[in-house]
Amino acid sequence: MKYYDKLVFELSKEGRCGYSLRKNDFPKAAELPAALRRNSALELPEVSEPDVVRHYTNLSQMNFGVDTGFYPLGSCTMKYNPKINEEVSALQGFAGLHPLMHAGLTKGALKVYQEMNKALAAITGMYTFTFDPCAGAHGELTGLMIMRQYHMMRGDLARTKVIVPDSAHGTNPASAAVCGLEVVEVKSLENGRIDVEALKPLLGPDIAGIMMTNPNTLGLFETQIEEIASLVHGCGGLLYYDGANMNPLMGVVRPGDMGFDIMHLNLHKTFSTPHGGGGPGSGPVGVAKHLEDCIPDLRVSGFHGNFGVILRAYAYILALGKDHIRKVGQYAVLSANYIKESLKDVYKLPIEGVCKHEFVFDGLVNDGAREGVAGATTLDVAKRLLDYGFHAPTIYFPLLFHQALMIEPTETESKETIDAFIEVMRKIAAEAAEDPEILHSAPHCTPISRPDETAAARNPILKYQDA
Ligand SMILES: *Cc1c(COP(=O)(O)O)cnc(C)c1O
């Protein structure tokens, strides 16, 4: 029996106590007026300290996290979050600041912004950054507002369309639409790169710019980026870079040098802030020198973004330094290619060749399908991985492949962990070939097996309900 088989929620017993508040020593004058005071005690669970600690620790064990195992989600991967950065962001001198404090008392924080601006400019080749946006998508919106502002300031009002590749992250077209721009899709070639010939006829006086990422969401480097930049600039448009996952490039190449004019970074992916559960994010936006004047008119957040996230990123960059930041991408690329090559005989690899930090399989080579038995799908593989103690990769994204299985190992996993993952992936492929039923009903060893995902999203139960 596992602990969750007996996980109970009704732990309260009258009179039990885990903590006692100190006696009220406020002067009488500071007390709440009688009319505002509650006249019956608040109904709180009465539990001992060990019971509370065990309850929450056991609950936390029912989930999967980077602190419990390998988590190879492609694209939005949780990258390395050094624990020391949590301590840095909690330092009283920083955490205790209030945005309305006298400027003389916030010089340290302002210095962090200045230093971060310099560091990010050096890493990306942009001229300057604004730290106001609080997420990647928020950065995209800000960047597109800058793009629109640039054209408007030049009196070029006809540029209302933005080109987005079909492999793009879903937030790209969404941000463009929110910004009031029309999205025009450009197709990818068989080899996963933008089809430059298909791009050419889309360019014209109505194009505000193009949104791209490089490496793209398939983990592939866009080899024709210089030509794309000159074509888009040639028609009067700007190039926007989605730098949510900048890890494969840091210290090696820079979007600014590739010809990009505007970009955002996800500090909460690439620069060490954990980003699960919609936690605090930061999506600073960088611009080339000729766009500097387009920033100040915009106000996209109350103050200067999420300072705690910026601090963590600062600590991360300083800890790595100029020489080691380069290794982040190199190791991530090595790990991804090692996994890809070790598994491509049992998982379909739609695009051969060297990938960057991530790559996509298109399902199993042998899914076990036979008379009366449905073959194992990507969802089945993902679920079965949980039985073996690994989190699933990103599945069914990007949409270019029906059975997409997108793997990103990051730079911090040891060879032993990666080898164990490869072994399990091979084992699952063998199971599928032999008896896909084992996979259809997986996972077998987790607290819950396959919830109805649609119902869970549509009718979430967000608080405890007494059965
Ligand atoms: C995560 C991600 C985004 C969006 O970032 P959010 O902080 O979730 O808004 C945009 N583009 C790419 C490529 C991403 O991976």
Side-chain angles (χ1 to χ4, degrees), residues 75-76 135-137 140 169 171-172 217 242 244-245 264 266 268-269:
S75 187
C76 293
E140 290 169 26
H169 193 270
T171 50
N172 290 188
T217 34
D242 178 341
N245 309 290
H264 81 268
N266 276 29
H268 54 291
K269 278 181 190 163

Side-chain angles (χ1 to χ4, degrees), residues 243-361:
N245 309 290
M246 182 65 194
N247 50 324
L249 297 192
M250 290 191 299
V252 183
V253 281
R254 311 191 305 171
D257 300 336
M258 293 182 212
F260 287 94
D261 306 283
I262 311 169
M263 70 174 291
H264 81 268
L265 290 163
N266 276 29
L267 298 187
H268 54 291
K269 278 181 190 163
T270 304
F271 295 93
S272 95
T273 288
H275 65 274
S282 173
V285 170
V287 295
K289 181 144 179 46
H290 65 111
L291 294 171
E292 191 191 6
D293 295 339
C294 303
I295 298 182
D297 289 351
L298 303 165
R299 184 125 203 105
V300 297
S301 65
F303 294 97
H304 296 294
N306 274 323
F307 183 57
V309 181
I310 293 157
L311 260 181
R312 288 181 184 87
Y314 185 53
Y316 179 75
I317 291 169
L318 287 186
L320 284 172
K322 196 174 169 197
D323 295 329
H324 288 93
I325 209 159
R326 191 182 169 86
K327 292 190 178 157
V328 170
Q330 291 174 327
Y331 286 138
V333 169
L334 180 63
S335 303
N337 279 285
Y338 178 58
I339 297 177
K340 170 171 65 65
E341 293 303 311
S342 306
L343 291 174
K344 69 178 189 183
D345 58 324
V346 283
Y347 291 86
K348 283 187 211 151
L349 180 65
I351 299 169
E352 277 282 352
V354 178
C355 64
K356 289 288 169 274
H357 58 306
E358 63 192 359
F359 65 93
V360 184
F361 281 135

Side-chain angles (χ1 to χ4, degrees), residues 62-118:
M62 293 173 76
N63 212 339
F64 195 102
V66 274
D67 287 341
T68 50
F70 183 44
Y71 208 123
L73 270 188
S75 187
C76 293
T77 321
M78 185 81 92
K79 295 157 183 68
Y80 180 37
N81 307 309
K83 300 287 182 245
I84 192 163
N85 293 354
E86 299 306 311
E87 286 178 37
V88 170
S89 72
L91 287 172
Q92 253 316 296
F94 288 128
L97 291 177
H98 188 282
L100 293 179
M101 263 159 93
H102 188 273
L105 297 171
T106 56
K107 282 191 173 153
L110 294 175
K111 178 95 179 158
V112 169
Y113 278 105
Q114 276 168 13
E115 294 291 315
M116 269 296 277
N117 207 337
K118 273 195 254 168

